[in-house]
Amino acid sequence: MADEHTTGEGAAGDRDEPPAIGGWRPPGRVFNGSGTFDALAALAVFGDALLERFPFDVYVSKTITREPRVGNPPPRIAETAAGMVNSIGLPNKGLARFLAEDLPRLGELPVPVCVSVMGHSGDELAALVAAVGEREEVAAIELNVSCPNVESGLVIGQDPGETARAVARARALTTKPLVVKLTPTASDQAAVARAAADAGADALSLVNTFPGTVFARGRPLLARGHGGLSGPAIKPLALAQVRTVAAAVRIPVIGMGGIAAVADAEDFLAAGASYVAVGTANFRDPLAALPIRKALRAM
Ligand SMILES: Cc1cc2nc3c(=O)[nH]c(=O)nc-3n(C[C@H](O)[C@H](O)[C@H](O)COP(=O)(O)O)c2cc1C
């Protein structure tokens, strides 16, 4: 069972040691945002230098789906004031090849690995959680619920009932710690957060990207027309959601959205998060999270 954790601004009570996530104690407070740091590509470029100065305490994989996905057509990333809009579309090699090719290599990273999964139906989610949960390289599983359930047509993370069903199904299939990554577009974020916690989530992570678009010469710049906004532009929105969710549940919250410096991370902790994740900042500097990791260690 997760430890209780203090919520509310400036909660200094858990600054020494963050609460466990299920039975798991991450070695520090700094994660990466799923899909924003390709550890295997970075290893190919930086080699051992990356392992010696790994910027995160926990590595979160990009979201894996049961079947391979090529993602959306380019252009799929556009820069905007204080952020970026992406419509990457979750390209990934699918569950079988991820397990065979990538996970053994991710297991050699110097930090625990959390695998992010997304299922468009209960069965798809079940297949992912069962298979990933069996693997010893996996410290935790993150459920990305920002997708429609093909059976109901509802975006899972926008609906407390859909979220509860997805989390309960996953919970029954694994004893690994379960993190649920919330959708920022839910109309009642606290209700979805409580539904996830009551259904057995060990932690909640938020925020995912906000719907957004960029125009150039009178047309959307991204091939798909719109995407998800991330980076410093969303930090005030993210902080507000983290504050709401942290006050609504007693499980730990992993806060993210525009964190680029130590002061940003401190704001998320003050808003009630126990852990933080760095996303878009990694594209500017793959070691952007390192000073944050060091500073939060020293707390
Ligand atoms: C290029 C890109 C790819 C992303 N891919 C994923 C993904 O595969 N799964 C996921 O849950 N979130 C994904 N995200 C969302 C991030 O993990 C994070 O929640 C969001 O970007 C907010 O944090 P940030 O402002 O620090 O980037 C992606 C974000 C970006 C910019």
Side-chain angles (χ1 to χ4, degrees):
M1 208 181 100
D3 289 1
E4 290 189 356
H5 94 133
T6 323
T7 57
E9 275 90 346
D14 67 351
R15 284 294 173 97
D16 292 337
E17 193 175 9
I21 295 179
W24 174 52
R25 284 202 177 272
R29 293 179 189 267
V30 182
F31 292 48
N32 63 290
S34 171
T36 66
F37 189 94
D38 184 337
L40 298 182
L43 264 180
V45 175
F46 300 110
D48 288 349
L50 177 72
L51 300 179
E52 284 153 24
R53 304 176 73 205
F54 201 72
F56 316 106
D57 296 301
V58 174
Y59 179 70
V60 183
S61 78
K62 73 170 113 174
T63 298
I64 306 304
T65 51
R66 189 174 61 180
E67 308 305 330
R69 288 170 63 104
V70 290
N72 293 323
R76 48 192 197 178
I77 287 188
E79 195 167 343
T80 184
M84 66 192 254
V85 180
N86 88 82
S87 66
I88 301 276
L90 301 178
N92 76 96
K93 50 177 71 170
L95 177 63
R97 284 185 57 207
F98 172 78
L99 294 176
E101 297 167 15
D102 291 359
L103 190 53
R105 295 172 63 210
L106 293 177
E108 288 171 14
L109 292 175
V111 300
V113 174
C114 172
V115 174
S116 167
V117 299
M118 175 190 274
H120 293 84
S121 68
D123 287 350
E124 207 175 305
L125 184 68
L128 285 155
V129 170
V132 169
E134 272 180 8
R135 294 289 293 258
E136 60 174 11
E137 299 97 326
V138 177
I141 300 176
E142 183 170 84
L143 304 185
N144 177 351
V145 293
S146 294
C147 67
N149 177 344
V150 289
E151 288 141 0
S152 68
L154 297 171
V155 171
I156 298 170
Q158 286 179 348
D159 184 77
E162 288 279 342
T163 301
R165 276 187 288 284
V167 176
R169 182 118 191 228
R171 180 73 289 166
L173 290 167
T174 185
T175 55
K176 299 263 192 207
L178 268 187
V179 179
V180 177
K181 179 145 180 197
L182 302 178
T183 303
T185 52
S187 58
D188 186 347
Q189 199 62 262
V192 176
R194 276 193 292 267
D198 291 347
D202 295 307
L204 302 176
S205 62
L206 68 154
V207 296
N208 213 320
T209 56
F210 288 79
T213 188
V214 172
F215 271 57
R217 289 181 292 279
R219 306 184 49 206
L221 204 149
L222 300 171
R224 202 174 138 246
H226 66 274
L229 178 64
S230 64
I234 67 168
K235 185 184 155 193
L237 303 168
L239 268 179
Q241 293 208 356
V242 164
R243 188 166 174 254
T244 299
V245 166
V249 298
R250 303 189 73 83
I251 53 175
V253 168
I254 304 165
M256 71 193 91
I259 297 179
V262 176
D264 300 318
E266 299 256 17
D267 288 345
F268 278 84
L269 298 180
S274 297
Y275 298 89
V276 295
V278 178
T280 298
N282 302 317
F283 290 95
R284 180 178 46 78
D285 173 5
L287 295 183
L290 201 55
I292 302 172
R293 183 184 183 197
K294 284 186 181 153
L296 299 198
R297 268 254 153 107
M299 266 161 71

